[in-house]
């Protein structure tokens, strides 16, 4: 979700205005995805693994998440 567009909480969302339209700062981008994943109830850890492909101007990757009970999952971008 874009920052400010989540209907029930406009404080959440990725700040895409600082990512799109330019070569993204991968430290900032990874931090944005990690911070937003950690806002999901019950998520204890979130480890994004992102890659920017300059030739195709695409951002791809996976966010690995887990909860306190050790249940884990992935979100593919």
């Amino acid at each position: 979700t874009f920052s400010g567009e989540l209907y029930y909480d406009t404080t959440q969302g990725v700040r895409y205005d600082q990512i799109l339209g330019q070569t993204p700062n991968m430290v900032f981008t990874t931090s944005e995805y990690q911070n937003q994943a950690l806002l999901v109830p019950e998520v204890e850890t979130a480890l994004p693994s992102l890659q920017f492909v300059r030739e195709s101007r695409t951002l791809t990757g996976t966010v690995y998440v887990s909860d306190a009970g050790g249940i884990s999952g992935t979100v593919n971008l």
Side-chain angles (χ1 to χ4, degrees), residues 33 37 40 43 47-50 60-65 72-77:
Y33 277 91
V40 175
V43 169
L47 302 170
S49 175
L50 306 176
T60 62
T62 304
V63 180
Y64 301 92
V65 295
S72 62
T74 59
V75 178
N76 295 312
L77 308 171

mmCIF file with all atom_site columns, all heavy atoms in Angstrom, residues 33 37 40 43 47-50 60-65 72-77:
data_model
loop_
_atom_site.group_PDB
_atom_site.id
_atom_site.type_symbol
_atom_site.label_atom_id
_atom_site.label_alt_id
_atom_site.label_comp_id
_atom_site.label_asym_id
_atom_site.label_entity_id
_atom_site.label_seq_id
_atom_site.pdbx_PDB_ins_code
_atom_site.Cartn_x
_atom_site.Cartn_y
_atom_site.Cartn_z
_atom_site.occupancy
_atom_site.B_iso_or_equiv
_atom_site.pdbx_formal_charge
_atom_site.auth_seq_id
_atom_site.auth_comp_id
_atom_site.auth_asym_id
_atom_site.auth_atom_id
_atom_site.pdbx_PDB_model_num
ATOM 1   N N   . TYR A 1 33 ? 10.046 -1.864  3.581  1.00 0.00 ? 33 TYR A N   1
ATOM 2   C CA  . TYR A 1 33 ? 9.318  -3.138  3.524  1.00 0.00 ? 33 TYR A CA  1
ATOM 3   C C   . TYR A 1 33 ? 9.380  -3.866  4.868  1.00 0.00 ? 33 TYR A C   1
ATOM 4   O O   . TYR A 1 33 ? 8.399  -4.451  5.310  1.00 0.00 ? 33 TYR A O   1
ATOM 5   C CB  . TYR A 1 33 ? 9.855  -4.024  2.401  1.00 0.00 ? 33 TYR A CB  1
ATOM 6   C CG  . TYR A 1 33 ? 9.262  -3.677  1.059  1.00 0.00 ? 33 TYR A CG  1
ATOM 7   C CD1 . TYR A 1 33 ? 9.874  -2.758  0.229  1.00 0.00 ? 33 TYR A CD1 1
ATOM 8   C CD2 . TYR A 1 33 ? 8.075  -4.265  0.638  1.00 0.00 ? 33 TYR A CD2 1
ATOM 9   C CE1 . TYR A 1 33 ? 9.324  -2.425  -0.999 1.00 0.00 ? 33 TYR A CE1 1
ATOM 10  C CE2 . TYR A 1 33 ? 7.515  -3.944  -0.584 1.00 0.00 ? 33 TYR A CE2 1
ATOM 11  C CZ  . TYR A 1 33 ? 8.141  -3.025  -1.388 1.00 0.00 ? 33 TYR A CZ  1
ATOM 12  O OH  . TYR A 1 33 ? 7.584  -2.693  -2.602 1.00 0.00 ? 33 TYR A OH  1
ATOM 13  N N   . ALA A 1 37 ? 6.091  -4.706  7.233  1.00 0.00 ? 37 ALA A N   1
ATOM 14  C CA  . ALA A 1 37 ? 5.794  -6.108  7.558  1.00 0.00 ? 37 ALA A CA  1
ATOM 15  C C   . ALA A 1 37 ? 5.676  -6.294  9.066  1.00 0.00 ? 37 ALA A C   1
ATOM 16  O O   . ALA A 1 37 ? 4.828  -7.065  9.539  1.00 0.00 ? 37 ALA A O   1
ATOM 17  C CB  . ALA A 1 37 ? 6.872  -7.025  6.995  1.00 0.00 ? 37 ALA A CB  1
ATOM 18  N N   . VAL A 1 40 ? 2.239  -5.850  10.823 1.00 0.00 ? 40 VAL A N   1
ATOM 19  C CA  . VAL A 1 40 ? 1.205  -6.877  10.716 1.00 0.00 ? 40 VAL A CA  1
ATOM 20  C C   . VAL A 1 40 ? 1.089  -7.578  12.073 1.00 0.00 ? 40 VAL A C   1
ATOM 21  O O   . VAL A 1 40 ? 2.101  -8.001  12.641 1.00 0.00 ? 40 VAL A O   1
ATOM 22  C CB  . VAL A 1 40 ? 1.542  -7.894  9.602  1.00 0.00 ? 40 VAL A CB  1
ATOM 23  C CG1 . VAL A 1 40 ? 0.525  -9.029  9.573  1.00 0.00 ? 40 VAL A CG1 1
ATOM 24  C CG2 . VAL A 1 40 ? 1.623  -7.188  8.260  1.00 0.00 ? 40 VAL A CG2 1
ATOM 25  N N   . VAL A 1 43 ? 3.361  -10.707 13.618 1.00 0.00 ? 43 VAL A N   1
ATOM 26  C CA  . VAL A 1 43 ? 4.661  -10.865 12.961 1.00 0.00 ? 43 VAL A CA  1
ATOM 27  C C   . VAL A 1 43 ? 5.744  -10.409 13.928 1.00 0.00 ? 43 VAL A C   1
ATOM 28  O O   . VAL A 1 43 ? 5.711  -9.293  14.447 1.00 0.00 ? 43 VAL A O   1
ATOM 29  C CB  . VAL A 1 43 ? 4.742  -10.064 11.639 1.00 0.00 ? 43 VAL A CB  1
ATOM 30  C CG1 . VAL A 1 43 ? 6.168  -10.029 11.113 1.00 0.00 ? 43 VAL A CG1 1
ATOM 31  C CG2 . VAL A 1 43 ? 3.810  -10.664 10.612 1.00 0.00 ? 43 VAL A CG2 1
ATOM 32  N N   . LEU A 1 47 ? 12.367 -10.223 7.337  1.00 0.00 ? 47 LEU A N   1
ATOM 33  C CA  . LEU A 1 47 ? 13.662 -10.075 6.684  1.00 0.00 ? 47 LEU A CA  1
ATOM 34  C C   . LEU A 1 47 ? 13.472 -9.970  5.174  1.00 0.00 ? 47 LEU A C   1
ATOM 35  O O   . LEU A 1 47 ? 13.307 -10.985 4.496  1.00 0.00 ? 47 LEU A O   1
ATOM 36  C CB  . LEU A 1 47 ? 14.574 -11.256 7.028  1.00 0.00 ? 47 LEU A CB  1
ATOM 37  C CG  . LEU A 1 47 ? 14.840 -11.473 8.512  1.00 0.00 ? 47 LEU A CG  1
ATOM 38  C CD1 . LEU A 1 47 ? 15.554 -12.796 8.733  1.00 0.00 ? 47 LEU A CD1 1
ATOM 39  C CD2 . LEU A 1 47 ? 15.660 -10.324 9.058  1.00 0.00 ? 47 LEU A CD2 1
ATOM 40  N N   . PRO A 1 48 ? 13.473 -8.758  4.641  1.00 0.00 ? 48 PRO A N   1
ATOM 41  C CA  . PRO A 1 48 ? 13.329 -8.602  3.196  1.00 0.00 ? 48 PRO A CA  1
ATOM 42  C C   . PRO A 1 48 ? 14.625 -8.935  2.460  1.00 0.00 ? 48 PRO A C   1
ATOM 43  O O   . PRO A 1 48 ? 15.720 -8.656  2.939  1.00 0.00 ? 48 PRO A O   1
ATOM 44  C CB  . PRO A 1 48 ? 13.011 -7.121  3.013  1.00 0.00 ? 48 PRO A CB  1
ATOM 45  C CG  . PRO A 1 48 ? 12.717 -6.595  4.364  1.00 0.00 ? 48 PRO A CG  1
ATOM 46  C CD  . PRO A 1 48 ? 13.406 -7.488  5.333  1.00 0.00 ? 48 PRO A CD  1
ATOM 47  N N   . SER A 1 49 ? 14.487 -9.557  1.323  1.00 0.00 ? 49 SER A N   1
ATOM 48  C CA  . SER A 1 49 ? 15.592 -9.812  0.414  1.00 0.00 ? 49 SER A CA  1
ATOM 49  C C   . SER A 1 49 ? 15.154 -9.254  -0.932 1.00 0.00 ? 49 SER A C   1
ATOM 50  O O   . SER A 1 49 ? 14.380 -9.885  -1.650 1.00 0.00 ? 49 SER A O   1
ATOM 51  C CB  . SER A 1 49 ? 15.872 -11.308 0.323  1.00 0.00 ? 49 SER A CB  1
ATOM 52  O OG  . SER A 1 49 ? 16.870 -11.557 -0.641 1.00 0.00 ? 49 SER A OG  1
ATOM 53  N N   . LEU A 1 50 ? 15.604 -8.030  -1.245 1.00 0.00 ? 50 LEU A N   1
ATOM 54  C CA  . LEU A 1 50 ? 15.137 -7.320  -2.429 1.00 0.00 ? 50 LEU A CA  1
ATOM 55  C C   . LEU A 1 50 ? 16.259 -7.132  -3.437 1.00 0.00 ? 50 LEU A C   1
ATOM 56  O O   . LEU A 1 50 ? 17.426 -7.074  -3.077 1.00 0.00 ? 50 LEU A O   1
ATOM 57  C CB  . LEU A 1 50 ? 14.587 -5.939  -2.032 1.00 0.00 ? 50 LEU A CB  1
ATOM 58  C CG  . LEU A 1 50 ? 13.503 -5.922  -0.960 1.00 0.00 ? 50 LEU A CG  1
ATOM 59  C CD1 . LEU A 1 50 ? 13.141 -4.490  -0.617 1.00 0.00 ? 50 LEU A CD1 1
ATOM 60  C CD2 . LEU A 1 50 ? 12.292 -6.700  -1.404 1.00 0.00 ? 50 LEU A CD2 1
ATOM 61  N N   . THR A 1 60 ? 12.269 -6.606  -7.309 1.00 0.00 ? 60 THR A N   1
ATOM 62  C CA  . THR A 1 60 ? 11.735 -7.928  -7.003 1.00 0.00 ? 60 THR A CA  1
ATOM 63  C C   . THR A 1 60 ? 12.306 -8.383  -5.673 1.00 0.00 ? 60 THR A C   1
ATOM 64  O O   . THR A 1 60 ? 13.253 -7.796  -5.149 1.00 0.00 ? 60 THR A O   1
ATOM 65  C CB  . THR A 1 60 ? 12.105 -8.965  -8.081 1.00 0.00 ? 60 THR A CB  1
ATOM 66  O OG1 . THR A 1 60 ? 13.527 -9.088  -8.132 1.00 0.00 ? 60 THR A OG1 1
ATOM 67  C CG2 . THR A 1 60 ? 11.575 -8.559  -9.442 1.00 0.00 ? 60 THR A CG2 1
ATOM 68  N N   . GLY A 1 61 ? 11.739 -9.446  -5.151 1.00 0.00 ? 61 GLY A N   1
ATOM 69  C CA  . GLY A 1 61 ? 12.290 -10.007 -3.937 1.00 0.00 ? 61 GLY A CA  1
ATOM 70  C C   . GLY A 1 61 ? 11.269 -10.754 -3.123 1.00 0.00 ? 61 GLY A C   1
ATOM 71  O O   . GLY A 1 61 ? 10.149 -11.012 -3.558 1.00 0.00 ? 61 GLY A O   1
ATOM 72  N N   . THR A 1 62 ? 11.670 -11.060 -1.914 1.00 0.00 ? 62 THR A N   1
ATOM 73  C CA  . THR A 1 62 ? 10.854 -11.818 -0.974 1.00 0.00 ? 62 THR A CA  1
ATOM 74  C C   . THR A 1 62 ? 11.024 -11.221 0.407  1.00 0.00 ? 62 THR A C   1
ATOM 75  O O   . THR A 1 62 ? 12.112 -10.790 0.777  1.00 0.00 ? 62 THR A O   1
ATOM 76  C CB  . THR A 1 62 ? 11.308 -13.297 -0.951 1.00 0.00 ? 62 THR A CB  1
ATOM 77  O OG1 . THR A 1 62 ? 11.239 -13.822 -2.286 1.00 0.00 ? 62 THR A OG1 1
ATOM 78  C CG2 . THR A 1 62 ? 10.440 -14.130 -0.042 1.00 0.00 ? 62 THR A CG2 1
ATOM 79  N N   . VAL A 1 63 ? 9.938  -11.190 1.158  1.00 0.00 ? 63 VAL A N   1
ATOM 80  C CA  . VAL A 1 63 ? 10.002 -10.809 2.564  1.00 0.00 ? 63 VAL A CA  1
ATOM 81  C C   . VAL A 1 63 ? 9.698  -12.074 3.364  1.00 0.00 ? 63 VAL A C   1
ATOM 82  O O   . VAL A 1 63 ? 8.640  -12.683 3.195  1.00 0.00 ? 63 VAL A O   1
ATOM 83  C CB  . VAL A 1 63 ? 8.997  -9.691  2.915  1.00 0.00 ? 63 VAL A CB  1
ATOM 84  C CG1 . VAL A 1 63 ? 9.112  -9.323  4.387  1.00 0.00 ? 63 VAL A CG1 1
ATOM 85  C CG2 . VAL A 1 63 ? 9.217  -8.467  2.035  1.00 0.00 ? 63 VAL A CG2 1
ATOM 86  N N   . TYR A 1 64 ? 10.644 -12.471 4.182  1.00 0.00 ? 64 TYR A N   1
ATOM 87  C CA  . TYR A 1 64 ? 10.500 -13.657 5.025  1.00 0.00 ? 64 TYR A CA  1
ATOM 88  C C   . TYR A 1 64 ? 9.986  -13.203 6.388  1.00 0.00 ? 64 TYR A C   1
ATOM 89  O O   . TYR A 1 64 ? 10.598 -12.333 7.017  1.00 0.00 ? 64 TYR A O   1
ATOM 90  C CB  . TYR A 1 64 ? 11.842 -14.371 5.180  1.00 0.00 ? 64 TYR A CB  1
ATOM 91  C CG  . TYR A 1 64 ? 12.432 -14.795 3.853  1.00 0.00 ? 64 TYR A CG  1
ATOM 92  C CD1 . TYR A 1 64 ? 13.307 -13.964 3.158  1.00 0.00 ? 64 TYR A CD1 1
ATOM 93  C CD2 . TYR A 1 64 ? 12.092 -16.013 3.281  1.00 0.00 ? 64 TYR A CD2 1
ATOM 94  C CE1 . TYR A 1 64 ? 13.828 -14.341 1.932  1.00 0.00 ? 64 TYR A CE1 1
ATOM 95  C CE2 . TYR A 1 64 ? 12.607 -16.399 2.056  1.00 0.00 ? 64 TYR A CE2 1
ATOM 96  C CZ  . TYR A 1 64 ? 13.477 -15.552 1.390  1.00 0.00 ? 64 TYR A CZ  1
ATOM 97  O OH  . TYR A 1 64 ? 13.988 -15.929 0.172  1.00 0.00 ? 64 TYR A OH  1
ATOM 98  N N   . VAL A 1 65 ? 8.885  -13.767 6.842  1.00 0.00 ? 65 VAL A N   1
ATOM 99  C CA  . VAL A 1 65 ? 8.285  -13.375 8.118  1.00 0.00 ? 65 VAL A CA  1
ATOM 100 C C   . VAL A 1 65 ? 8.102  -14.593 9.009  1.00 0.00 ? 65 VAL A C   1
ATOM 101 O O   . VAL A 1 65 ? 8.005  -15.720 8.532  1.00 0.00 ? 65 VAL A O   1
ATOM 102 C CB  . VAL A 1 65 ? 6.926  -12.671 7.913  1.00 0.00 ? 65 VAL A CB  1
ATOM 103 C CG1 . VAL A 1 65 ? 7.095  -11.353 7.190  1.00 0.00 ? 65 VAL A CG1 1
ATOM 104 C CG2 . VAL A 1 65 ? 5.941  -13.555 7.192  1.00 0.00 ? 65 VAL A CG2 1
ATOM 105 N N   . SER A 1 72 ? 6.493  -19.639 10.034 1.00 0.00 ? 72 SER A N   1
ATOM 106 C CA  . SER A 1 72 ? 7.099  -18.691 9.091  1.00 0.00 ? 72 SER A CA  1
ATOM 107 C C   . SER A 1 72 ? 6.386  -18.746 7.754  1.00 0.00 ? 72 SER A C   1
ATOM 108 O O   . SER A 1 72 ? 5.672  -19.691 7.439  1.00 0.00 ? 72 SER A O   1
ATOM 109 C CB  . SER A 1 72 ? 8.580  -18.993 8.923  1.00 0.00 ? 72 SER A CB  1
ATOM 110 O OG  . SER A 1 72 ? 8.755  -20.287 8.390  1.00 0.00 ? 72 SER A OG  1
ATOM 111 N N   . GLY A 1 73 ? 6.612  -17.695 6.988  1.00 0.00 ? 73 GLY A N   1
ATOM 112 C CA  . GLY A 1 73 ? 6.018  -17.603 5.660  1.00 0.00 ? 73 GLY A CA  1
ATOM 113 C C   . GLY A 1 73 ? 6.808  -16.614 4.823  1.00 0.00 ? 73 GLY A C   1
ATOM 114 O O   . GLY A 1 73 ? 7.742  -15.968 5.302  1.00 0.00 ? 73 GLY A O   1
ATOM 115 N N   . THR A 1 74 ? 6.427  -16.508 3.573  1.00 0.00 ? 74 THR A N   1
ATOM 116 C CA  . THR A 1 74 ? 7.092  -15.593 2.672  1.00 0.00 ? 74 THR A CA  1
ATOM 117 C C   . THR A 1 74 ? 6.060  -14.772 1.905  1.00 0.00 ? 74 THR A C   1
ATOM 118 O O   . THR A 1 74 ? 4.934  -15.207 1.693  1.00 0.00 ? 74 THR A O   1
ATOM 119 C CB  . THR A 1 74 ? 7.971  -16.327 1.651  1.00 0.00 ? 74 THR A CB  1
ATOM 120 O OG1 . THR A 1 74 ? 7.166  -17.226 0.896  1.00 0.00 ? 74 THR A OG1 1
ATOM 121 C CG2 . THR A 1 74 ? 9.081  -17.100 2.324  1.00 0.00 ? 74 THR A CG2 1
ATOM 122 N N   . VAL A 1 75 ? 6.494  -13.586 1.515  1.00 0.00 ? 75 VAL A N   1
ATOM 123 C CA  . VAL A 1 75 ? 5.699  -12.723 0.647  1.00 0.00 ? 75 VAL A CA  1
ATOM 124 C C   . VAL A 1 75 ? 6.593  -12.394 -0.531 1.00 0.00 ? 75 VAL A C   1
ATOM 125 O O   . VAL A 1 75 ? 7.670  -11.821 -0.359 1.00 0.00 ? 75 VAL A O   1
ATOM 126 C CB  . VAL A 1 75 ? 5.265  -11.428 1.371  1.00 0.00 ? 75 VAL A CB  1
ATOM 127 C CG1 . VAL A 1 75 ? 4.496  -10.529 0.429  1.00 0.00 ? 75 VAL A CG1 1
ATOM 128 C CG2 . VAL A 1 75 ? 4.464  -11.756 2.611  1.00 0.00 ? 75 VAL A CG2 1
ATOM 129 N N   . ASN A 1 76 ? 6.171  -12.804 -1.724 1.00 0.00 ? 76 ASN A N   1
ATOM 130 C CA  . ASN A 1 76 ? 6.957  -12.537 -2.936 1.00 0.00 ? 76 ASN A CA  1
ATOM 131 C C   . ASN A 1 76 ? 6.495  -11.243 -3.571 1.00 0.00 ? 76 ASN A C   1
ATOM 132 O O   . ASN A 1 76 ? 5.299  -10.980 -3.682 1.00 0.00 ? 76 ASN A O   1
ATOM 133 C CB  . ASN A 1 76 ? 6.817  -13.695 -3.921 1.00 0.00 ? 76 ASN A CB  1
ATOM 134 C CG  . ASN A 1 76 ? 7.414  -14.961 -3.370 1.00 0.00 ? 76 ASN A CG  1
ATOM 135 O OD1 . ASN A 1 76 ? 8.527  -14.970 -2.860 1.00 0.00 ? 76 ASN A OD1 1
ATOM 136 N ND2 . ASN A 1 76 ? 6.669  -16.040 -3.442 1.00 0.00 ? 76 ASN A ND2 1
ATOM 137 N N   . LEU A 1 77 ? 7.473  -10.465 -4.004 1.00 0.00 ? 77 LEU A N   1
ATOM 138 C CA  . LEU A 1 77 ? 7.167  -9.188  -4.660 1.00 0.00 ? 77 LEU A CA  1
ATOM 139 C C   . LEU A 1 77 ? 7.422  -9.309  -6.143 1.00 0.00 ? 77 LEU A C   1
ATOM 140 O O   . LEU A 1 77 ? 8.306  -9.947  -6.577 1.00 0.00 ? 77 LEU A O   1
ATOM 141 C CB  . LEU A 1 77 ? 8.054  -8.080  -4.086 1.00 0.00 ? 77 LEU A CB  1
ATOM 142 C CG  . LEU A 1 77 ? 8.056  -7.942  -2.573 1.00 0.00 ? 77 LEU A CG  1
ATOM 143 C CD1 . LEU A 1 77 ? 9.121  -6.972  -2.144 1.00 0.00 ? 77 LEU A CD1 1
ATOM 144 C CD2 . LEU A 1 77 ? 6.711  -7.480  -2.103 1.00 0.00 ? 77 LEU A CD2 1
#
